[in-house]
Amino acid sequence: MSPTPSEESIEQEISQQNVKRVSCTTVLTLAYQSLGVVYGDLSTSPLYVYKTTFSGKSSLHGNDEEIYGVLSFIFWTFTLIALFKYIFIVMSAADNGEGGTFALYSLLCRHARLSILPNQQAIDQKLSAYAMERSADTRQSFVMKSVFEKHPKFRQGLLIFVLLGTCMAIGDGILTPAISVLSAVSGVQLKITELHENHVVLISCVILVVLFSLQHYGTHRVAFMFAPIVTAWLLCISGIGIYNILRWNPHIFCALSPTYMLKFLKSTGIEGWISLGGVVLSITGVEMMFADLGHFSALSIKIAFTVLVYPSLILAYMGEAAYLSRHHEDLQRSFYKAIPEAVFWPVFIVATFAAVVASQAAISATFSIISQCCALNCFPRVKIVHTSQKISGQIYIPEVNWMLMCLCLAVTIGLRDTNMMGHAYGLAVTTVMLVTTCLMAMVMIIVWKLQIFTAVAFLVFFGSMELLYISASFCKVPEGGWIPLALSLIFLTVMYVWNYGTLQKHQFDAENKVSMNRILRLGPSLGMVRVPGIGLIYTNLVTGVPAVFGHFVTNLPAFHQVLVFVCVKSVQVPYVCEKERFLISRVGRKEHSMFRCIVRYGYKNLQQENYDFENTLVSELVQFVEKEKESGLGPITEESSREFGNLDIEALGASEQTFNDPSHEENSVQSSHDIQVMKSGDEQLENSLPNEESLQILKARESGLAYILGHSHAKAKKSSSIVKQVAIDFVYAFLSRNCRGPDVVLNVPHTSLLEVEMDNKIGSQLDSCKPANNDVGSAPQNGTVSTIQDSPSPAHPTGSRATLGSHIAHRLVQIGVNDVFSVPGDFNLTLLDCIIAEPGLNNIGCCNELNAGYAADGYARARGVGACVVTFTVGGLSILNAIAGAYSENLPVICIVGGPNTNDYGTNRILHHTIGLPDFSQEVRCFQPVTCYQAIINHLDEAHELIDKAISTALKESKPVYISVSCNLPTIFHPTFSREPIPFALSPKMSNCKGLDAAVEAAAAFLNKAVKPVIVGGPKLRVAKATKAFVELADACGYALAVMPSAKGLVPEHHPHFIGTYWGAVGTAFCGEIVESADAYVFVGPIFNDYSSVGYSLLLKREKAIIVQPERVVIANGPAFGCVLMKDFLPALAKKLNNNTTAYENYRRIHIPDGVPLKCEPTEPLRVNILFQHIQKLLSHDTAVIAETGDSWFNCQKLKLPEGCGYEFQMQYGSIGWSVGATLGYAQSVPDKRVIACIGDGSFQVTAQDVSTMIRCEQKSIIFLINNGGYTIEVEIHDGPYNVIKNWNYTGLVDAIHNGEGNCWTKKVNNEQELIEAIEIATGEKKDCLCFIEVVVHKDDTSKELLEWGSRVSSANSRVPNPQ
């Protein structure tokens, strides 16, 4: 059944009374009712004001002058702040009749673009509650609005400031019940003197527990008693005040003179100033008075305050001061002492009830604040229970209720003293008031358009008073004042982190919307079987198709006949009436039967549990279709609405495409037979038969509704700061796991709920040794891939930025590339402009194309994907060597080349940068053997598909790709880039299940019968993304674990069964013997070439080997199993193997630890083994090693890598000079690691220039330049005069490159002592800059492994030809 009109509208109608002319009787009735809701906290403050003011050291002397001074402070504080500031000024700043911190913030957000709420639309400004006076901006208001609109950090700062005030208000909700109840109950000790303090605390705790336990029943059953209780209380304390004035000191009125304030401060000094922290408690409830404005009218609250509350409290304070002036000894119990004996018990009972009323008001206000915060994405989702069937504003939040109870009890039991509670209370209250003062000053300038002088005068006058009280309260931080600070810090952290994480997830969803163009190409059925029923897909997007739908399209064979994308959003107004709640539009063509429904709520609107959403939505859809038919303009889609504009859409019906008023029961749609008369806003469609589409929707409704919600998880990017990683990975993740799910908040029936898991992964997950899986550049395994970056990247380009260049740049950011390595040339300049313009993407200019390619290679090793941009032919052929190396190492590098103008293709023109032929295909022909896909983009129609195909192929195949972009295309608009593209959701490769089972059974049988099997990891673990699976297998089987030289860093060397590098005769001592003597060995992802096999000299037998490649398993001389993925095979095999540690035990029996190099004398020339002994000490989880081709291969192989330490070298391709560019790229990709590069002098001469790029990028790598005067590795293979090079002054070269710009430090070392000193400086005072250490060694100082390896490779190279 539809909700009755009163169920949600009562509170809105009350709010609307604020701006309507109402009768005197109504105003007086509201004024009377406001006493029980608004003034409970304010009216109970006399219980503890004087007691707290004269507490501790500030008891002062208790003479009349001090008492008069305190009363004077109370009177003028109460008058100026409560009466003048709040009643006369702040109350006028209501937001559609609503008050409070969020109301002021909302008011400012509507008049200036301060809101950080996502999904805000121009059409929202058509809401009736959004109405603003369109007066012209003053110069001051324009300047202030411009400052906030241009600087997002200012908007963030304002939000934090508002949240601070909100957190302090929540602190009030904790402290008010504790101090009010304890102050009221403590009065009984005057009559029952033997009652111990512990008993008072116990009684107070019992009252608090009962109070909080009854919250779920709601206050509507007893609320009618609140006003009489507070009224009786005010009359009691005012009457007692008059009695005390007349009896004890009729001249107390003299204390109202401001001169007593000056006398008080003069006579008491600092102690008097500190005591003002108690005076401020007299106005503790004024902020709640403003916050509760929406429940009543401003006039009624003003009347209640000025007629009864203000005089009653002033008389109460004056009477108590009159009593104290004659009873100085009763400073700490003055309130109850001042009560005449005859009326003590009645007043005590009324005081207790008044304290309960004040506590209830504070608790209810806290529930309301939390509800508003949830609506504005500033608090984790909580369950909101409505305790009244008639008044929506009465709510109960279970989690918050029990949290408040625990904190109240903790404060009551922990402090046990109202004085300390008062110190805490005062700091919270004054902070909230200061926030209100600052926001009011902004309202005066931006909203009211007053002169800045008026706003500054208001801010200075009231702000200085509040700062005075804040400063006094801060002095009490050790005595209880720390409580609101601690609570506020916790709540502020929770609120801001939740807000930040929510906005980042929304940003990701907005960037990964599914392309409508792609959806349209699927045809009327969307490429699926359409089953009966209505599917409601919940999304937080107001435009575009959410990624969850794309996930369904690619994974499910069927979907519902009618699809509705439902977006429930909050707008920056307190209430949205039901007539304006729904916005309906069509998605795609009419035959798709897809709609969008935007459901709008104000920040004080609450979703009712009994709200008949399903029937209301169906009614809206039917009437939308009928209205669409009547209009005669054809289907109203999102695209057409953008073309026609809002006015055209509004002409079709009321409320911006909202064609009904759900508050009327006639609109409830139960079946297709119910539609005889339908109301559409103010119009009525009588006796009209529904059209065919309407009947289709109604029949689908009869088949049932299904609710589809995407459930996503976010994780911070690896390059994010440690603060943001902690915030997202721990705080936000913890809150997301433990808060209510969206299905609870949206009241989704569980029987109809379908939840879709969507993983939002960030960056590559560092394995035990290095980033092997490279998840950023890999295909998502479940749903989509999300990236929460340091600064959110914008949505995909639209409008003028819908260009090819911006699309390529945005695509690179999407797959995890944040740095592109380039060399400019006339064919790629406009493309580089687009790259530079893309937020989140840096252009790293390199000195030459070869180094740009090497840098992309190094970047891809850490990030999983790299990118480079060069110019046509001269640049492309220069980078070709680096791309070939990436191909050999299975690295996805996206090589983008700026190509010729499109008008030059197909002509006989000869262009520069070519080989002088009119055929422009020479470059792509060169790239074909070393790339897995080539895309030549010389027209825009298919550019979108070609780019996606190239990038997805690179990620899927883990190989480089070539993309040529004509130089005149990057900045041209084209409609294919005007919509969000489908996010990368590459279909993961699947193993053949039967083949997998057979391979596992055969391998397990083979290995379980072996006596001493071993397992060896190879370099293809990277491309198979199976490092974790390999470790899982090693853990399960217990085999001795080795690694091939080209896979060092992919296998954890801290594994308990790790025995070293298997490299035949030059591997780790005793490792080769164990592997080659095994009766079974599992090689996982190996590459056997002449280098890794030491000239084909490995003593391995095929019949003993199981070779596991990324998609194939070969068992000995027996069967081979195709379509079996390594990452599936290894975990399955791990479950079948018996634990066998025989080989590892054999290793331990024969192993002899490495010897220690001979010690160098102080003046002895440095030896290479001593150098690497010191490099070993530098390694940690915060470092990575880059080893250049040459003797560094062998010396770095002997380094023992700590857990988390990266390691890279290029063994398959072995290009000298690779390490300089690779160091640049690797360091750029993982700025949290310090790269240690070991480079020979001959290699350095090839690519030395890009040390300058490292300096420009402010990298902090350490480069050890090993100067031995030639090509050492070539000398050991085949010596000759060509291996001797001209020696450079390498340190001087780097100094010249440095040229005093940037951070770079160089040092040349000749002996161990100089090396030690250089390393100390590099890791100490120069730890944050690039350090270049030239190490001079003897030309014949090589490792023994190089000597052995060189002779074997030389022998392999010199084999005589086989006879033909």
Side-chain angles (χ1 to χ4, degrees), residues 4 218 271 447 514 547 632 639 646 664 729 955 999 1054 1223 1332 1342:
T4 62
E271 293 299 332
V447 181
V514 177
E639 289 75 15
N646 292 332
H664 296 282
D729 295 347
L955 299 179
H1054 61 277
T1223 298
F1332 181 88
T1342 62

Side-chain angles (χ1 to χ4, degrees), residues 12 101 138 146 154 184 362 537 701 703 750 933 1002 1096 1098 1166 1185:
Q12 298 175 46
T101 305
T138 63
S146 300
F154 285 4
I537 305 176
R701 168 68 180 94
S703 300
H750 288 280
Y933 185 82
Y1096 308 111
L1098 301 182
L1166 186 62
V1185 177

Side-chain angles (χ1 to χ4, degrees), residues 579-584 620 653-660:
K579 294 181 181 180
E580 301 176 314
R581 181 151 298 159
F582 287 85
L583 291 175
I584 306 292
E620 293 282 350
S655 304
E656 298 87 35
Q657 307 179 36
T658 303
F659 304 129
N660 72 319

Side-chain angles (χ1 to χ4, degrees), residues 128 131 474 581 601 754 769 1071 1116 1199 1361:
S128 57
F474 259 109
R581 181 151 298 159
Y601 287 93
L754 180 60
C769 293
C1071 178
L1199 295 173

Side-chain angles (χ1 to χ4, degrees), residues 375-376 569-576 581 600-606:
L376 297 176
K569 73 170 189 174
S570 295
V571 292
Q572 208 78 50
V573 294
Y575 295 102
V576 175
R581 181 151 298 159
R600 301 180 293 183
Y601 287 93
Y603 59 82
K604 295 204 74 173
N605 272 130
L606 297 168

